[in-house]
Amino acid sequence: MSDPIKFRPLMVLRLETAAWQEFGSTPQGALTIVPVVGGSFAGDRLRGKVLAGGGDWIMADANGTFSLDLRITLETDDGALIHMTFGGVRDDANHYLRTTPRFETAASQYAFLNRLLAIGIGEIRAEGPVHVIEEVL
Amino acid sequence: MNTRLLMTMQVNVGTAQNIGAVPYGTRRTAPISGGTFEGPRLRGTVLQAGSADWLLLRSDGVLELDLRCTLRTDDGALISMGSFGLRHGPPDVIAAIGRGESVDASMYYFRTLPRFVTAHQAYAFLNRLVAVASGERRPQGPIYTIHEVL
């Protein structure tokens, strides 16, 4: 018997997206790029806004499952920049949208982000994607 | 966050290939010489061929693990597994692991995020899930307890 892995809330990330760019079928699958033009994030340990310039590179496989590949820049309310990426799976048939975010920052007060793994539960809402992200303890 | 046990996997590692200082840290490759995995929905062996853990010790002391291995289930399906992980802890604990000593897994952080790819229909559910694992470093190689993220 194994102990379940424990988690701790990290942030809720809300993304503002621009018009999807549909590329159609590429050799790897059907590609859609969802540009991220803004947003916000908030948690006990960090909060701030999402800078424009990022996006999610989404590849659909033949079974209608999507592979996510997001990269964005976060700016905290005290001025630190955080490079954030995630891979993930979106399977609409099973209402499943899970991501594995990673963070990189040079700001010492957020260096803990460089040392953790995280899991996100995503939801596509009318106002845009919302990801509830928890640290893997 | 809800999870459920997917499998435990134990692998044995061979002689490490010390690549040395590279631009982002110190790189070492640990070939996997074999292993086994077992869970409620799948079980089998870890193949030696094509399986290794590509390790990068970063300048901040965190070890990044980039594992790739091929699993063969007991009914003959091939599953390609990859995982990204982090391992870090107090310097004396990490040093003890480096000396090949047995260390209580609660003394350090060793977590990975496995992903799976297979063409076998019986295991197609693996293509559509995200998983998280806790690792335990034994002298002969790690044991991973892998949970599906529900």
Side-chain angles (χ1 to χ4, degrees):
Chain A
M1 206 45 214
S2 61
D3 292 335
I5 293 169
K6 294 183 172 60
F7 298 88
R8 176 184 179 186
L10 184 61
M11 67 167 78
V12 176
L13 172 71
R14 300 170 190 277
L15 299 175
E16 294 170 20
T17 59
W20 295 20
Q21 300 162 359
E22 307 270 9
F23 286 73
S25 293
T26 74
Q28 286 80 30
L31 174 64
T32 301
I33 298 177
V34 178
V36 172
V37 295
S40 65
F41 61 96
D44 287 347
R45 289 171 282 175
L46 69 170
R47 64 196 64 249
K49 64 184 180 183
V50 180
L51 301 186
D56 195 355
W57 282 253
I58 301 174
M59 197 68 78
D61 71 16
N63 301 314
T65 304
F66 301 93
S67 290
L68 311 179
D69 177 19
L70 172 127
R71 49 197 68 206
I72 56 177
T73 300
L74 310 180
E75 184 179 47
T76 62
D77 56 1
D78 58 347
L81 294 181
I82 300 167
H83 170 63
M84 174 179 173
T85 62
F86 66 53
V89 174
R90 193 181 123 198
D91 177 14
D92 291 344
N94 292 304
H95 303 288
Y96 189 83
L97 202 178
R98 302 289 182 270
T99 65
T100 55
R102 292 190 56 201
F103 306 91
E104 290 178 26
T105 184
S108 57
Q109 69 270 39
Y110 298 110
F112 68 95
L113 292 170
N114 294 324
R115 307 165 71 88
L116 61 80
L117 295 181
I119 299 277
I121 296 180
E123 192 182 339
I124 310 298
R125 297 187 188 165
E127 69 268 24
V130 177
H131 297 274
V132 177
I133 299 171
E134 298 190 353
E135 173 184 2
V136 179
L137 294 179
Chain B
M1 193 77 58
N2 293 316
T3 62
R4 72 170 156 176
L5 181 67
L6 183 64
M7 65 169 114
T8 57
M9 182 176 93
Q10 57 179 55
V11 299
N12 296 325
V13 297
T15 304
Q17 302 157 358
N18 290 301
I19 310 297
V22 299
Y24 298 104
T26 305
R27 183 166 282 290
R28 186 169 88 245
T29 302
I32 290 173
S33 55
T36 58
F37 62 95
E38 175 151 20
R41 288 173 285 172
L42 68 171
R43 61 191 53 76
T45 56
V46 181
L47 301 188
Q48 176 176 8
S51 299
D53 205 351
W54 284 263
L55 310 174
L56 180 69
L57 181 61
R58 302 190 322 213
S59 57
D60 64 354
V62 175
L63 183 70
E64 293 189 355
L65 307 104
D66 177 20
L67 174 89
R68 289 166 191 222
C69 60
T70 301
L71 313 182
R72 184 161 59 205
T73 63
D74 55 1
D75 57 348
L78 291 179
I79 299 166
S80 176
M81 171 179 164
S83 73
F84 178 81
L86 297 177
R87 199 175 86 199
H88 54 80
D92 56 326
V93 172
I94 297 302
I97 293 173
R99 290 192 299 268
E101 299 172 13
S102 290
V103 177
D104 188 325
S106 66
M107 302 290 288
Y108 53 93
Y109 187 89
F110 182 7
R111 300 287 183 267
T112 73
L113 299 166
R115 292 295 308 276
F116 304 92
V117 175
T118 184
H120 198 288
Q121 276 308 311
Y123 301 103
F125 69 94
L126 293 170
N127 294 324
R128 298 189 288 268
L129 63 79
V130 167
V132 58
S134 60
E136 177 183 351
R137 185 67 170 91
R138 303 165 308 149
Q140 62 272 42
I143 298 177
Y144 297 96
T145 304
I146 305 174
H147 294 259
E148 172 185 5
V149 178
L150 296 176

